[in-house]
Amino acid sequence: YERMSRSPEPAIDLTLACAVLARQRMHWVVQKATELGVRRIVPLLTDHSVPSESLDHEQAGAWAGHIARATRQCRRSSLPYLLTPARLDEFLPSPLLAGIDLRLFLDDRSGPATVPTEPPRRIVLLVGPEGGFSDAEREQLARHARPWVLAGRVLRAETDVLVGVTVAHCLWGDFQKIG
């Protein structure tokens, strides 16, 4: 590999907490999230996600390999942490979430929420499954995070990941320096 003139590691500490997606789309999610510079990936078990008893079918054991290959491909110097799948109601009160400056959950049903102009150092981006978070989960999320509406369109869950991580970098991270 060639020497890099600048660090490929991001300026912001971004954790992606994504509901486990069906049809092995999590392979793509962990790969692209790694390439875009997330520091942690938390697979979430939600009302509409793949259930825990189906994780083997979704090849959850292969996610770490996808992360390693994506890390090499984009010349990152460190692997993102892949945490054990957690239920949303267990993750929200976790110590990991307690030390975060900005907690956002992607939501296409909320009104626009203000986001800070001062760059947060540590961000958690929560992305729901196909069909979104359930109403009960949205209520629970609203007590721990801000809803974040990215567009007037309903995006596929894996597209939400790509757009959400990219927009976070554009607003507060490395991508704001482009141009």
Side-chain angles (χ1 to χ4, degrees), residues 112-134:
T114 59
V115 291
T117 52
E118 279 298 310
R121 291 180 345 188
R122 298 184 70 203
I123 302 168
V124 168
L125 179 65
L126 296 115
V127 179
E130 296 92 348
F133 291 111
S134 69

Side-chain angles (χ1 to χ4, degrees), residues 5-166:
S5 60
R6 60 188 175 270
S7 173
E9 292 302 316
I12 56 174
D13 181 337
L14 182 58
T15 297
L16 171 67
C18 181
V20 178
L21 305 178
R23 295 176 295 287
Q24 299 173 2
R25 285 186 267 159
M26 284 301 286
H27 296 288
W28 190 88
V29 165
V30 298
Q31 180 186 54
K32 298 308 171 197
T34 299
E35 291 174 14
L36 287 170
V38 301
R39 293 245 172 101
R40 274 166 232 86
I41 300 170
V42 182
L44 291 178
L45 301 170
T46 68
D47 292 345
H48 301 293
S49 73
V50 170
S52 60
E53 60 271 10
S54 298
L55 289 175
D56 285 342
H57 176 72
E58 294 301 324
Q59 300 176 350
W63 298 342
H66 288 289
I67 289 171
R69 286 186 292 280
T71 299
R72 276 194 306 274
Q73 187 276 326
C74 66
R75 312 297 195 267
R76 286 189 63 180
S77 59
S78 63
L79 291 166
Y81 297 103
L82 175 63
L83 283 73
T84 304
R87 288 192 348 243
L88 179 64
D89 61 343
E90 294 170 344
F91 177 67
L92 290 175
S94 71
L96 173 64
L97 211 57
I100 298 297
D101 301 330
L102 181 60
R103 298 170 208 90
L104 299 168
F105 71 97
L106 297 185
D107 188 28
D108 62 345
R109 294 189 276 164
S110 293
T114 59
V115 291
T117 52
E118 279 298 310
R121 291 180 345 188
R122 298 184 70 203
I123 302 168
V124 168
L125 179 65
L126 296 115
V127 179
E130 296 92 348
F133 291 111
S134 69
D135 289 338
E137 289 170 336
R138 290 176 69 245
E139 286 177 25
Q140 194 176 22
L141 282 161
R143 291 190 297 270
H144 295 274
R146 296 179 190 194
W148 198 23
V149 180
L150 292 178
R153 294 171 293 285
V154 176
L155 303 175
R156 296 181 67 108
E158 64 270 27
T159 306
D160 266 346
V161 169
L162 188 68
V163 173
V165 171
T166 301

